[in-house]
């Protein structure tokens, strides 16, 4: 139930205690990406993970999580930088893949594969975030599905390769699909499995693309008479990723998505703040649309961007929830935030200057 078998029906209002615990637990796996990310420009691991795979969970306080990290994931953006802007930190660490241990499997009743993604930190990621144009995903070579469109910057980050990156080989997509295929091949024929993708902000966009990709390529289909592996996405402060065709295809593939949304967080209204699922004049192919089920939470502080969008705020709201907010208030809250901040331009330079904060 907590992984969306019935789209979390009757579990969100009020929020079911077991689901709340799961959302906090997976959110902490995402938070580990931030805690382990090396921001020291003088470090040899700058823009990468500070710890080895066997150390990370212990170092960030998740030593009793019941999971073991099997692979680190790196991503790059194939973009042209403006003159005078240094392309530092292009191909860098964005998250990891972990699998539940044998003892954890006995408690969960299944072998769970987690993929956790952090949000935006580097300049190349900022540029990718603000490309904001829809483009066909074309991830299935046998069926391009031109009606399935996603934000070009997120797709760029997911599929581009940076040969200068000494840690990750191949694109983010290639690294992910290779390791997930290996784990499915190892466990899928003999055990019940689940694939759980969790991300904050930009990381939730990568999680959505990966979920769609796994389903489209049928990597989660039964092996040797087994059962289909469920794919679940837990999104924290995630933006829109694709158009109506993308949402419909995700639903057809059985991808389950639960979006945890701070109603004062403007990033959850982007891209497509105006041309979205509520705007029908342009048609669904040309408008951004959210995927899945939304869990709206009231913000503890709606005045500071770093507060409303910070993953710590999201986890705090889950641990100590306040009143529910009516869905009709969401756009009003977002417009009010933009007005207060006097955002006249949505260039990536303006946003980076405004935020001066790495965890987007």
């Amino acid at each position: 139930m907590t992984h969306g078998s019935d789209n979390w029906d009757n579990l969100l209002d009020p929020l079911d205690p077991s689901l709340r615990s799961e959302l906090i637990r997976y959110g902490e796996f995402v938070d580990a990406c931030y805690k382990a990310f090396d921001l020291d420009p003088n470090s040899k691991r700058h823009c990468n993970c500070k710890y080895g795979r066997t150390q990370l969970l212990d170092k960030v306080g998740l030593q009793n999580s019941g999971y073991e990290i099997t692979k680190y994931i790196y991503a790059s953006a194939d973009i042209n930088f403006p003159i005078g802007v240094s392309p530092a930190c292009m191909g860098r660490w964005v998250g990891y893949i972990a699998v539940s241990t044998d003892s954890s499997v006995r408690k969960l009743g299944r072998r769970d594969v987690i993929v956790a993604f952090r949000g935006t930190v580097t300049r190349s990621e900022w540029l990718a975030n603000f490309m904001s144009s829809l483009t066909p995903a074309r991830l299935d070579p046998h069926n391009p599905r031109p009606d399935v469109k996603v934000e070009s910057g997120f797709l760029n980050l997911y599929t581009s390769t940076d040969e200068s990156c000494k840690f990750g080989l191949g694109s983010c997509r290639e690294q992910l699909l290779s390791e997930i295929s290996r784990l499915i091949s190892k466990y899928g024929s003999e055990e019940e499995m689940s694939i759980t993708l969790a991300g904050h902000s930009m990381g939730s966009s990568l999680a959505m693309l990966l979920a769609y990709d796994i389903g489209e390529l049928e990597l989660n289909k039964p092996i040797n008479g087994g059962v289909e592996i469920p794919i679940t996405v837990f999104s924290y402060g995630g933006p829109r990723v694709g158009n109506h065709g993308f949402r419909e295809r995700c639903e057809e593939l059985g991808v389950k998505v639960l979006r945890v949304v701070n109603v004062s967080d403007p990033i959850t209204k982007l891209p497509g703040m105006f041309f979205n699922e509520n705007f029908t004049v342009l048609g669904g192919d040309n408008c951004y649309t959210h995927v899945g089920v939304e869990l709206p939470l009231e913000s503890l502080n709606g005045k500071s961007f770093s507060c409303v969008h910070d993953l710590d705020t999201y986890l705090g709201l889950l641990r100590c929830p306040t009143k529910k907010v009516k869905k009709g208030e969401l756009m009003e809250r977002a417009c009010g935030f933009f007005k207060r901040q006097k955002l006249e331009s949505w260039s990536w330079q303006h946003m980076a200057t405004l935020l001066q904060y790495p965890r987007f």
Side-chain angles (χ1 to χ4, degrees), residues 99-121:
V99 64
S100 52
T101 61
D102 290 342
S103 59
S104 183
V105 169
R106 287 190 286 271
K107 297 177 182 177
L108 294 172
R110 65 184 187 282
R111 183 76 63 174
D112 187 36
V113 175
I114 291 178
V115 187
F117 297 100
R118 64 166 174 81
T120 306
V121 174

Side-chain angles (χ1 to χ4, degrees), residues 53 68-72 96-99 179 182-183 187:
R53 286 191 292 110
E68 295 176 344
I69 294 177
T70 65
K71 189 174 182 65
Y72 280 170
Y96 59 87
I97 299 176
V99 64
E179 180 64 7
R182 185 187 73 83
L183 293 173
Y187 299 110

Side-chain angles (χ1 to χ4, degrees), residues 126-132 151 201 239 264-274 305 308-309 333-355 360:
W126 271 108
L127 278 176
N129 284 342
F130 289 96
M131 286 184 178
S132 296
E151 201 264 359
S201 196
S264 297
D265 183 355
I267 296 304
T268 62
K269 320 300 185 295
L270 299 172
M273 182 174 181
F274 300 106
F305 182 94
V308 299
H309 190 61
R333 293 286 186 88
C335 291
F337 178 89
F338 290 127
K339 185 177 180 180
R340 289 194 302 275
Q341 300 295 330
K342 298 180 180 180
L343 300 185
E344 298 173 355
S345 168
W346 273 100
S347 68
W348 76 273
Q349 296 100 325
H350 188 172
M351 282 298 298
T353 302
L354 170 71
L355 299 180
F360 163 47

Side-chain angles (χ1 to χ4, degrees), residues 23-316:
L23 289 171
I24 293 171
R25 185 168 73 94
Y26 285 108
E28 288 174 342
F29 280 115
V30 176
D31 196 40
C33 297
Y34 288 117
K35 291 178 177 177
F37 192 74
D38 194 339
L39 288 169
D40 181 1
N42 298 315
S43 171
K44 64 179 181 180
R45 288 184 172 270
H46 178 47
C47 288
N48 288 289
C49 185
K50 292 185 285 188
Y51 314 115
R53 286 191 292 110
T54 59
Q55 297 177 309
L56 188 153
L57 296 179
D58 288 348
K59 292 289 187 179
V60 301
L62 295 177
Q63 59 270 23
N64 298 317
S65 66
Y67 286 77
E68 295 176 344
I69 294 177
T70 65
K71 189 174 182 65
Y72 280 170
I73 302 300
Y74 302 81
S76 62
D78 183 15
I79 51 182
N80 295 319
F81 278 81
I83 296 176
V85 176
S86 171
C89 300
M90 289 194 67
R92 295 299 179 256
W93 185 67
V94 293
Y96 59 87
I97 299 176
V99 64
S100 52
T101 61
D102 290 342
S103 59
S104 183
V105 169
R106 287 190 286 271
K107 297 177 182 177
L108 294 172
R110 65 184 187 282
R111 183 76 63 174
D112 187 36
V113 175
I114 291 178
V115 187
F117 297 100
R118 64 166 174 81
T120 306
V121 174
T122 70
R123 290 171 177 171
S124 58
E125 293 163 357
W126 271 108
L127 278 176
N129 284 342
F130 289 96
M131 286 184 178
S132 296
S133 61
L134 285 165
T135 187
R138 301 185 187 279
L139 295 179
D140 183 355
H142 304 295
N143 192 341
R145 299 185 184 277
D147 59 315
V148 176
K149 299 179 181 180
V150 297
E151 201 264 359
S152 58
F154 299 146
L155 183 64
N156 185 302
L157 198 63
Y158 183 62
T159 59
S160 296
T161 301
D162 179 14
E163 295 181 357
S164 68
C165 181
K166 61 182 179 180
F167 295 106
L169 298 177
S171 67
C172 175
R173 181 195 186 204
E174 291 168 338
Q175 297 166 51
L176 289 163
L177 295 181
S178 174
E179 180 64 7
I180 289 173
S181 296
R182 185 187 73 83
L183 293 173
I184 291 175
S185 181
K186 180 177 181 179
Y187 299 110
S189 62
E190 298 180 355
E191 301 181 28
E192 182 178 346
M193 293 186 67
S194 59
I195 299 174
T196 309
L197 317 177
H200 172 239
S201 196
M202 175 199 75
S204 70
S205 303
L206 293 175
M208 280 301 312
L209 289 173
L210 176 58
Y212 164 72
D213 208 2
I214 293 172
E216 197 70 272
L217 298 179
E218 299 185 345
L219 298 183
N220 63 321
K221 292 299 180 182
I223 299 177
N224 298 332
V227 297
E228 183 172 306
I229 301 171
I231 306 171
T232 306
V233 177
F234 291 131
S235 164
Y236 304 84
R240 295 183 180 92
V241 177
N243 68 345
H244 184 71
F246 178 72
R247 182 182 71 183
E248 280 195 333
R249 187 56 183 157
C250 285
E251 291 172 351
E252 290 173 2
L253 294 170
V255 174
K256 302 298 182 181
V257 182
L258 180 55
R259 295 183 295 106
V260 184
V261 173
N262 178 353
V263 298
S264 297
D265 183 355
I267 296 304
T268 62
K269 320 300 185 295
L270 299 172
M273 182 174 181
F274 300 106
F275 302 116
N276 53 50
E277 56 267 19
N278 299 314
F279 188 87
T280 59
V281 175
L282 297 179
D285 284 350
N286 301 305
C287 292
Y288 284 95
T289 305
H290 274 306
V291 180
V293 179
E294 181 178 280
L295 172 62
L297 299 174
E298 172 66 85
S299 176
L300 299 173
N301 183 339
K303 297 181 180 180
S304 167
F305 182 94
S306 62
C307 286
V308 299
H309 190 61
D310 188 9
L311 180 58
D312 286 342
T313 296
Y314 274 81
L315 294 178

